Amino acid sequence: MIKKLLIAAVAAAATFVPVGAEVQAGTTSLLETISSNGILVTINHDDCLTNGSNGQYRWLGFQREMRLCPGRTVDADDHNTVRHETIHAIQHCVNAARGTSTDAPIINNPNDFAEFVMANLPQEDIEWVKSMYPESQWLTELEAFAGANAYTSSELEDLFLDACTIQEDDV
């Protein structure tokens, strides 16, 4: 029920925010796709009150969860958080398929990674990430913040489906 309320709120917010904002109509479909493919979407979990984050992507064994912390209203930052946390979900899927550490970014070529981050994240945001996260998380967080800026919710939905679900031609 809470998921349906958030999805409705996201859809409603998309109609009331100015065009230049980061609110995207595709966020509703992205959340539905994530939820229907095994990731529990939790809205305003108790941890939201204590950890001060806008969201988290978590996993314990096979249980994956996207925790979103919009509070009472959904705004452009909340849409951005969905995109950011979706990048983390895709990182998880890609690294599981590769058999690599979950602390590895999707883009594993250092030059391509640097180019992607620099093209999609202002230098002040890069410095902020480095000041807020431990060094072991810099690469995945930089990729997630840059990816949230680089991709629309609809594009991320396609990327998620490609990376995290079995396609007919994979069988």
Side-chain angles (χ1 to χ4, degrees), residues 148-160:
N149 291 338
Y151 299 109
T152 66
S153 295
S154 297
E155 291 168 331
L156 284 172
E157 184 174 6
D158 290 340
L159 291 170
F160 174 83

Side-chain angles (χ1 to χ4, degrees), residues 97-139:
R98 285 182 189 154
T100 54
S101 166
T102 55
D103 291 333
I106 299 163
I107 304 169
N108 57 10
N109 177 295
N111 293 329
D112 293 343
F113 178 85
E115 185 178 315
F116 176 74
V117 170
M118 296 299 286
N120 293 292
L121 208 55
Q123 185 62 38
E124 59 268 16
D125 290 357
I126 293 170
E127 296 305 321
W128 179 84
V129 168
K130 289 181 173 182
S131 72
M132 296 301 291
Y133 292 91
E135 189 172 351
S136 64
Q137 295 177 6
W138 285 358
L139 296 179

Side-chain angles (χ1 to χ4, degrees), residues 43-112:
I43 311 304
N44 291 327
H45 187 278
D46 290 343
D47 286 352
C48 293
L49 300 173
T50 58
N51 71 18
S53 71
N54 292 335
Q56 295 177 316
Y57 173 76
R58 307 164 33 98
W59 69 94
L60 180 61
F62 289 107
Q63 178 58 57
R64 299 175 295 160
E65 179 182 15
M66 182 182 291
R67 290 184 179 172
L68 302 172
C69 305
R72 292 177 182 230
T73 60
V74 175
D75 60 20
D77 287 336
D78 299 314
H79 283 250
N80 191 59
T81 298
V82 171
R83 293 190 304 277
H84 175 99
E85 300 306 334
T86 299
I87 296 287
H88 286 314
I90 295 169
Q91 289 168 336
H92 185 206
C93 295
V94 166
N95 285 307
R98 285 182 189 154
T100 54
S101 166
T102 55
D103 291 333
I106 299 163
I107 304 169
N108 57 10
N109 177 295
N111 293 329
D112 293 343

